Amino acid sequence: MAILRTPEGKEFVVSVGQAPLEVLPPDRRYLVARTRDGRLWDLFRPVERDDEVLEVLTFEDPQGREVYWHSTAHILAEAVKELFPEAKLTIGPPIEEGFYYDFDMGDYTFTPEDLEAIEARMKEIVARDEKVFRKVLTKEEARKLFEERNEPYKLEILEEIEGDTVTVYGQGDFLDLCRGPHVPSTGYIGALKVLSASSAYWRGEEGNPVLQRIYGISFPTEEALQAFLERREEAMRRDHRKLGRELELFTFSDEVGPGLPIWLPRGAVIRRIIEDLWRREHDARGYQIVYTPHVGRSHLWATSGHLEAYRENMFPEMRLSEHESYYVKPMNCPFHIQIYKHTARSYRDLPLRLAEIGTVYRYERSGVLHGLLRVRGFTQDDAHIFCTPDQAKDEVKGVVRFAFDLLKMFGFDTFEVYLSTRPDQYVGSLEMWEHATRSLADALEEMGLSYEVDEGGGAFYGPKIDIILRDALGRRWQLSTVQFDFNLPERFELTFRGPDGKEHRPYMIHRALFGSFERFLGVLIEHYAGNFPFWLAPTQVVILPITDAQAPYAHELAARLKAAGIRVEVDDRNERVGYKIREAETKKIPVMFVVGKREMAEGKVSVRLHGEGDQGVHALEDILPVLEEANRPGKSLALQTV
RNA sequence: GCUGGCGUAGCUCAGGGGUAGAGCAGCGGAUUUGUAAUCCGCGGGUCGGGGGUUCGAAUCCCUCCGCCAGCUCCA
């Protein structure tokens, strides 16, 4: 007798040859089951083993959700085949959020009307509640089947499957080569939406046939679907490209070139605050801050290996003469290495921590540029640590702690850590790789951090740690990175004199905390939805005199705020307060002081907070300390303490 | 780089072979105003660049540039 266990902890007995569906209560939250050895099992597939324990999965389970979306992808494919019989099926997997299905449509591309029709047909298929079936066929049978159905891509996939038999799944007249499993019938899908269409290559390779891809998503309830769509719209409202323009933080110019951000004064304020904080913290943690040139001779990049390994990401050569040429830098490391090498180094110099706010240029393919998040010119918060093998672990700990301390000041509190290990192609000795990887892992473990290992995910020159954070919307961003480099010390023949009087090769660690200021600003804009905390806001306080009579008083207040280090503006234009308030709210200025006849007479201000409205009348002496406190990095405005 | 879509005023957008439009923003004037848009007036454009078709092109065609979505790449 096999056992079925529901997420609520109820158990049901099912005998061999019987399908779980026959004994489970009729509840469409039950999608699929997981066997004891981790395989997924259709609820309509008869149990084969007597000692089996099947765990029933719902949409709440990540694997259950994948099956749900995969089944919806099949419904999408069925709808497309009904509406466009000439469409050729390819693949249709679940993805992080939803699913897609790729079709070969010849020269045809789907129109928005097509997508509406497809969605409507999918809903019909759900309403038909077609039973899903599973068949095991020999390869020969399957080949015949897909030849009859004229599905060349399925035949191609079929040839790559190992073993003698394959499974096909289907519903109604729809049939697909598929490993499964699937939900028992199309009626299991509660709410669905076709999201978009685009193109993709067959197997993702340029030169292969171009396919039409349709994205969609589904949820058990209409409410969950609506919540998803609202979150999606919220993400669009927060788009840093839109907010960056509206708040006048940065811009791009066709005349300057694509992917080359221009920091407007208001964005530059934010950057300067972050840079100042960054410098202070680096001073405090034993880094030495340096500056290096933006270009270097070709020979440098030949030595570093960039011309070999990184050329396609570099802007082309600047030729001065037949024998001399330069490249604009895509990385700062070769320059920091020159700083290391400018004098003989002893073990007493180590660890040597060189930090630079260094602007680099990388030639990104035109199609990948995206606002501030993917650009061709950007400024890294870079540092290189040169140390002995024995120091490596503590240096890694220092960097990881530094990254967390810094990022937490921006309200990020959920982090994921990934450790990437040696890939197949690598430089350096196995001993070094093992030691460095051990240092990274030990550092994380001693800090009590849990992490995931990306086996073989390291760069060819060394293992690394990446820190991924989640923003206010729960989206993941990779910012900080710590990477060992066994390549450059070798190529540049870096050495230090050890206590034994002999020459040794130092370890080199690349690290960035924010990644780049451009990307970090982009992330911050979306994280805060443009509502920067008081300490980061380009304009922190705007003073709004009601009539010209209060203008001198407003300027007097502004001078006092300015003296206290507050970024303040006076809006003494000849407009009504309502107008000035609306404008200040639109610009997301955190604090407004409204001053009229009454406030001036009492020497007070009427305080209004962005998004929160009128906070009543206060004396400046009471408000100023609160603002000064909120002006410190990482702090927030706490007006209730007044 | 590839596939598809889109480039009209600073911004958001209408117009799609017959003399370029709206709202907001800007500028000028009036108004001196109490917590998210006061009224009146004015200026603003090589319709992304170049080439072609046509008596005539913002509109149709070609090409280049840029933006957007996805792919690929990167991490």
Side-chain angles (χ1 to χ4, degrees):
Chain A
M1 286 301 192
I3 305 290
L4 270 174
R5 189 180 296 133
T6 67
E8 302 82 48
K10 286 194 201 145
E11 292 196 353
F12 299 88
V13 174
V14 55
S15 36
V16 168
Q18 205 176 16
L21 210 54
E22 296 170 44
V23 298
L24 279 174
D27 188 333
R28 291 197 161 181
R29 287 181 303 131
Y30 301 150
L31 306 175
V32 66
R34 183 161 52 216
T35 65
R36 195 148 55 176
D37 52 9
R39 286 180 303 152
L40 294 180
W41 200 269
D42 301 290
L43 293 184
F44 52 87
R45 180 177 173 189
V47 171
E48 288 172 5
R49 290 173 54 148
D50 213 18
D51 58 346
E52 190 60 272
V53 178
L54 288 161
E55 192 189 342
V56 178
L57 304 182
T58 67
F59 191 80
E60 303 310 312
D61 181 275
Q63 284 189 301
R65 192 172 312 171
E66 278 183 26
V67 168
Y68 195 82
W69 284 336
H70 189 191
S71 294
T72 319
H74 273 209
I75 295 172
L76 168 64
E78 182 177 4
V80 169
K81 285 295 272 188
E82 285 184 12
L83 294 165
F84 302 88
E86 72 286 2
K88 301 278 172 282
L89 299 175
T90 69
I91 55 162
I95 52 178
E96 206 170 318
E97 288 198 311
F99 57 87
Y100 66 79
Y101 208 113
D102 285 346
F103 305 93
D104 186 339
M105 302 296 294
D107 292 335
Y108 190 77
T109 53
F110 291 115
T111 64
E113 294 74 41
D114 290 340
L115 298 185
E116 278 174 35
I118 290 165
E119 183 178 309
R121 183 59 65 98
M122 287 173 75
K123 287 175 180 165
E124 279 175 40
I125 294 167
V126 169
R128 287 183 218 152
D129 196 19
E130 292 171 348
K131 264 200 164 44
V132 174
F133 56 85
R134 172 183 192 271
K135 278 187 194 158
V136 181
L137 301 179
T138 64
K139 270 190 167 172
E140 194 44 54
E141 290 169 324
R143 199 172 294 129
K144 215 174 131 209
L145 181 69
F146 288 108
E147 268 166 17
E148 274 167 20
R149 296 179 74 99
N150 193 15
E151 294 289 2
Y153 295 92
K154 290 295 170 189
L155 286 169
E156 190 178 327
I157 297 168
L158 186 64
E159 296 313 318
E160 288 167 15
I161 298 176
E162 291 180 18
D164 303 328
T165 61
V166 297
T167 54
V168 297
Y169 278 76
Q171 66 234 6
D173 294 330
F174 176 73
L175 201 62
D176 199 354
L177 178 68
C178 179
R179 186 182 296 123
H182 283 281
V183 301
S185 71
T186 59
Y188 272 62
I189 306 306
L192 61 87
K193 178 115 188 120
V194 168
L195 295 172
S196 62
S198 71
S199 65
Y201 297 105
W202 168 236
R203 296 181 188 279
E205 278 172 38
E206 276 178 37
N208 277 353
V210 174
L211 308 175
Q212 296 298 311
R213 172 171 299 181
I214 298 179
Y215 288 88
I217 195 153
S218 57
F219 290 95
T221 64
E222 186 63 33
E223 294 73 52
L225 174 64
Q226 289 309 321
F228 167 82
L229 294 174
E230 273 157 37
R231 200 170 69 245
R232 216 160 157 258
E233 275 167 31
E234 176 60 23
M236 273 193 279
R237 273 193 293 278
R238 287 172 181 239
D239 191 314
H240 75 282
R241 293 167 297 183
K242 177 171 164 278
L243 287 169
R245 181 173 51 237
E246 288 170 2
L247 301 178
E248 301 184 279
L249 301 177
F250 63 90
T251 189
F252 289 91
S253 154
D254 277 6
E255 295 190 66
V256 172
L260 299 170
I262 295 166
W263 293 72
L264 298 172
R266 299 178 70 80
V269 168
I270 296 171
R271 172 157 167 181
R272 201 184 64 231
I273 294 162
I274 299 173
E275 282 190 2
D276 289 348
L277 167 67
W278 187 94
R279 289 197 186 89
R280 251 194 334 274
E281 290 294 323
H282 279 74
D283 284 341
R285 294 174 195 246
Y287 285 80
Q288 294 174 281
I289 295 177
V290 299
Y291 300 92
T292 65
H294 285 64
V295 298
R297 281 191 157 149
S298 306
H299 181 72
L300 178 74
W301 306 107
T303 307
S304 69
H306 284 97
L307 288 184
E308 249 172 77
Y310 205 71
R311 182 170 230 139
E312 69 278 15
N313 278 299
M314 292 169 72
F315 276 87
E317 190 177 31
M318 283 175 275
R319 264 196 172 282
L320 296 191
S321 72
E322 203 174 321
H323 304 293
E324 189 171 20
S325 68
Y326 287 76
Y327 285 87
V328 66
K329 66 176 172 185
M331 295 184 191
N332 302 302
C333 17
F335 297 86
H336 291 187
I337 282 174
Q338 302 309 311
I339 295 171
Y340 181 92
K341 284 181 69 147
H342 100 281
T343 182
R345 299 291 182 181
S346 105
Y347 70 97
R348 296 181 215 265
D349 294 329
L350 306 183
L352 181 70
R353 309 185 187 99
L354 300 177
E356 177 175 9
I357 293 177
T359 304
V360 298
Y361 296 87
R362 296 182 185 174
Y363 183 78
E364 300 284 356
R365 298 170 88 183
S366 60
V368 306
L369 301 175
H370 182 87
L372 289 181
L373 299 179
R374 193 73 185 273
V375 292
R376 283 180 175 163
F378 57 98
T379 306
Q380 295 180 302
D381 67 316
D382 207 1
H384 294 93
I385 299 172
F386 302 89
C387 65
T388 67
D390 288 349
Q391 293 167 335
K393 185 181 74 186
D394 283 341
E395 289 304 309
V396 171
K397 278 162 92 171
V399 170
V400 173
R401 188 173 300 121
F402 194 177
F404 282 2
D405 288 350
L406 208 53
L407 294 172
K408 280 178 182 165
M409 298 177 99
F410 297 88
F412 297 112
D413 48 17
T414 311
F415 303 97
E416 295 163 29
V417 181
Y418 289 83
L419 172 63
S420 300
T421 62
R422 184 169 52 79
D424 294 337
Q425 299 279 320
Y426 66 98
V427 297
S429 69
L430 274 176
E431 292 73 40
M432 287 165 93
W433 274 88
E434 258 163 48
H435 177 257
T437 308
R438 198 65 253 157
S439 304
L440 290 169
D442 285 348
L444 294 175
E445 274 153 30
E446 286 175 25
M447 294 176 77
L449 294 170
S450 56
Y451 60 93
E452 279 185 44
V453 177
D454 180 3
E455 216 57 71
F460 73 89
Y461 49 78
K464 62 170 181 174
I465 290 173
D466 290 318
I467 298 174
I468 288 169
L469 55 77
R470 285 183 184 269
D471 71 6
L473 248 51
R475 293 170 303 177
R476 300 160 82 247
W477 303 97
Q478 198 234 292
L479 301 177
S480 313
T481 179
V482 192
Q483 311 194 359
F484 278 90
D485 191 329
F486 302 134
N487 185 42
L488 293 179
E490 203 66 41
R491 283 175 165 271
F492 283 98
E493 302 181 320
L494 301 188
T495 58
F496 67 90
R497 184 75 63 183
D500 56 2
K502 294 189 180 133
E503 299 257 287
H504 301 269
R505 188 129 289 163
Y507 268 16
M508 178 176 173
I509 302 171
H510 305 260
R511 58 107 270 203
L513 307 176
F514 299 134
S516 81
F517 286 95
E518 287 77 6
R519 184 172 156 81
F520 191 61
L521 178 67
V523 172
L524 281 186
I525 292 170
E526 303 207 355
H527 173 60
Y528 291 128
N531 301 306
F532 286 96
F534 190 80
W535 67 281
L536 280 170
T539 300
Q540 298 172 302
V541 179
V542 63
I543 304 179
L544 312 173
I546 287 176
T547 72
D548 289 349
Q550 291 87 42
Y553 177 58
H555 285 283
E556 187 189 311
L557 289 169
R560 288 173 65 187
L561 290 174
K562 206 171 172 200
I566 308 287
R567 294 180 293 277
V568 59
E569 285 171 16
V570 176
D571 186 353
D572 55 6
R573 290 176 304 173
N574 180 5
E575 292 288 351
R576 303 190 170 185
V577 228
Y579 180 87
K580 296 182 188 180
I581 285 172
R582 182 185 155 78
E583 201 150 284
E585 290 282 355
T586 310
K587 283 156 78 181
K588 301 180 188 288
I589 295 169
V591 178
M592 286 154 266
F593 287 173
V594 177
V595 292
K597 218 186 322 181
R598 294 198 295 276
E599 287 81 1
M600 193 165 90
E602 295 169 16
K604 293 187 171 177
V605 296
S606 178
V607 178
R608 183 188 166 100
L609 296 186
H610 169 59
E612 290 176 45
D614 196 350
Q615 306 291 311
V617 177
H618 298 271
L620 187 66
E621 306 77 85
D622 296 334
I623 290 290
L624 196 51
V626 178
L627 298 185
E628 286 182 290
E629 174 62 19
N631 201 17
R632 293 166 51 201
K635 299 290 179 179
S636 50
L637 190 58
L639 201 71
Q640 50 278 14
T641 60
V642 175

